[in-house]
């Protein structure tokens, strides 16, 4: 599955605990990654500096759903279920 244009739910909804260039403490849930461009693309895509968690995340129907709003809701729910 390909990423949906103008979505970036996976770059906004989940927290990331590992360092990201420009975000050395990682990223809180619900906050856009600093590496996200205004047109919702990753500045680090294809770069070896991209966090392992981002490299391992693959778009799927379960995660992406049919709209950005549905994807954000699903990822928010997962964040709540897996948080401390």
């Amino acid at each position: 599955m390909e990423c949906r244009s103008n979505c970036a739910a996976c770059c906004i909804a989940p927290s990331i605990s590992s360092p990201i260039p420009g975000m050395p403490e990682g990223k809180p849930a619900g906050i856009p990654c600093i590496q996200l461009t205004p047109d919702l693309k990753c500045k680090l895509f294809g770069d070896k500096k991209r966090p392992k968690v981002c490299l391992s995340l693959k778009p799927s129907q379960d995660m992406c759903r049919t709209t950005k709003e549905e994807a954000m809701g699903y990822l928010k729910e997962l964040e709540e279920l897996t948080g401390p």
Side-chain angles (χ1 to χ4, degrees):
M1 180 174 171
E2 296 285 324
C3 285
R4 182 179 24 260
S5 297
N6 300 310
C7 180
C10 59
C11 302
I12 301 167
S15 61
I16 298 177
S17 57
S18 61
I20 300 167
M23 299 180 103
E25 302 298 319
K27 173 193 108 46
I31 302 296
C33 177
I34 198 166
Q35 298 298 332
L36 194 59
T37 65
D39 62 345
L40 302 177
K41 295 183 179 169
C42 177
K43 292 178 196 173
L44 297 177
F45 194 83
D47 190 311
K48 63 182 178 181
K49 296 178 194 166
R50 194 168 177 215
K52 287 181 183 177
V53 67
C54 298
L55 289 170
S56 67
L57 189 63
K58 305 292 182 211
S60 69
Q61 189 62 46
D62 281 347
M63 178 177 70
C64 300
R65 306 296 166 123
T66 56
T67 67
K68 176 182 180 174
E69 293 73 25
E70 288 178 5
M72 290 287 290
Y74 176 71
L75 291 168
K76 181 181 176 189
E77 181 180 346
L78 284 181
E79 184 72 29
E80 291 169 356
L81 291 171
T82 60

